[in-house]
Amino acid sequence: MYSYIQHRFLIRDSPESVYFYTFHKCASSFFSQYVLKNVNGLYHINYASQLYSGNRSHKKELEFRKKGFIYGPIRISAYVQSPVAKRLVNPTTKHDFIRDKIAIFFIRDPRDILVSSYYSFGFTHGFSKVNTIKVRQEAKRKRIREMTLDEYVLDSADKQVDLFKTLYELSKTCSRGVVLRYEDMINDFDGFAEQLRQYITLEDATIREIYQKTRPREKEDVTSHRRSGKVGGFREKLEKNTILAVNKKLAEILTLFGYQD
């Protein structure tokens, strides 16, 4: 793969830049580490990773070029006081910014996101090398571990509503965008791949690899960053009364994105 410096000299003949929006616990790490790196003609820029790892100055402005790059993941769920939220998410989630851009919006059932978040942020997710971020992560882990899964899901559901509404409004504002669902990647891969290729070019070999790498685990591994990947796993993890309560809290966004039971 050629370098970022080499790529800048080829931008004139490159496709228009693309922005990839998603949430935490939505296969965003997989897209960052594999899919976005293998888009033909576009150089992958992961500003969130640079800021999270401390490899980018918090004073230097982020640059977004019209051609030649794919930016992401832009996780709308980033902690509001974090450098990632302030430097990356806030500027790129303004309607005037996204209006004339090309964007891919990738979502997952918010109930599965909530369950996965509990296990990840409470037990398995690593800590940043940036001390201010690490301190916040440690405090969050402590708070989560003091709650049961059901308590965490009910406590966090309202925030999911706000996040999904933000993504919905961005997708409606964006003139050239597509909303993709994790569930379709698992259950209707051919249809998902066709939609994914609407605005980006991926080799057939890359598509086949995406399929292989995204199949859910046959057996859950609670110690892994990718615990299961199963669709609708929340039904096996949450109490029935919790599901009823969280469905009520999330009713609007479940309807907007086709997640009604």
Side-chain angles (χ1 to χ4, degrees):
M1 183 178 292
Y2 56 87
S3 70
Y4 170 74
I5 299 299
Q6 290 173 316
H7 183 76
R8 293 191 66 169
F9 288 102
L10 302 175
I11 287 177
R12 181 179 299 178
D13 299 321
S14 296
E16 189 170 342
S17 293
V18 176
Y19 296 78
F20 182 81
Y21 293 85
T22 188
F23 305 113
H24 287 92
K25 310 316 302 173
C26 196
S28 57
S29 293
F30 169 69
F31 272 82
S32 171
Q33 294 165 9
Y34 184 74
V35 181
L36 303 186
K37 291 181 182 296
N38 285 284
V39 176
N40 286 2
L42 297 176
Y43 190 93
H44 177 218
I45 297 290
N46 188 348
Y47 282 137
S49 178
Q50 293 176 19
L51 291 165
Y52 178 83
S53 63
N55 292 331
R56 185 174 188 87
S57 168
H58 289 186
K59 296 180 180 180
K60 186 177 181 181
E61 288 296 320
L62 302 184
E63 180 183 37
F64 300 101
R65 298 179 68 90
K66 185 173 179 59
K67 290 186 175 183
F69 295 88
I70 183 162
Y71 297 100
I74 301 172
R75 297 179 181 88
I76 297 173
S77 49
Y79 175 61
V80 293
Q81 295 299 323
S82 70
V84 174
K86 292 179 178 179
R87 302 284 311 288
L88 173 63
V89 177
N90 291 353
T92 57
T93 52
K94 295 184 183 301
H95 287 204
D96 287 344
F97 178 91
I98 196 62
R99 197 179 307 278
D100 62 347
K101 303 295 193 300
I102 299 175
I104 297 170
F105 303 93
F106 189 56
I107 65 171
R108 184 184 185 187
D109 190 315
R111 295 163 294 188
D112 279 334
I113 288 179
L114 287 167
V115 170
S116 184
S117 295
Y118 175 82
Y119 289 107
S120 179
F121 299 129
F123 300 91
T124 63
H125 198 285
F127 294 132
S128 172
K129 294 180 181 179
V130 179
N131 190 59
T132 53
I133 299 176
K134 180 181 179 181
V135 169
R136 175 182 55 79
Q137 290 177 312
E138 290 174 333
K140 183 175 183 179
R141 174 164 294 185
K142 182 177 183 298
R143 181 177 67 84
I144 291 174
R145 287 186 173 187
E146 292 172 348
M147 307 171 75
T148 66
L149 170 60
D150 291 79
E151 288 171 342
Y152 173 83
V153 167
L154 289 171
D155 182 67
S156 305
D158 290 337
K159 179 62 176 177
Q160 288 295 301
V161 174
D162 294 338
L163 295 173
F164 271 77
K165 281 185 176 180
T166 296
L167 185 142
Y168 179 78
E169 291 167 0
L170 289 173
S171 71
K172 292 303 180 183
T173 300
C174 181
S175 59
R176 292 170 295 165
V178 60
V179 177
L180 304 179
R181 303 195 321 167
Y182 177 92
E183 292 72 23
D184 296 326
M185 182 175 71
I186 302 302
N187 295 329
D188 178 22
F189 186 82
D190 289 344
F192 169 83
E194 183 177 353
Q195 284 190 301
L196 180 61
R197 282 171 149 172
Q198 184 172 343
Y199 291 114
I200 58 177
T201 302
L202 294 165
E203 300 287 348
D204 288 344
T206 301
I207 292 293
R208 289 193 295 270
E209 192 70 9
I210 293 171
Y211 175 82
Q212 293 296 331
K213 290 178 178 291
T214 56
R215 296 310 88 193
R217 292 179 180 271
E218 292 186 7
K219 186 176 181 181
E220 179 183 18
D221 182 357
V222 296
T223 66
S224 172
H225 178 74
R226 183 171 178 266
R227 180 179 53 85
S228 170
K230 184 178 180 180
V231 169
F234 71 90
R235 293 184 176 88
E236 300 173 1
K237 291 291 185 180
L238 300 176
E239 299 290 340
K240 289 183 179 180
N241 287 341
T242 301
I243 294 175
L244 290 173
V246 80
N247 283 349
K248 185 175 181 180
K249 284 175 174 283
L250 300 175
E252 182 178 1
I253 61 172
L254 292 178
T255 299
L256 282 176
F257 291 103
Y259 286 121
Q260 306 97 314
D261 288 327

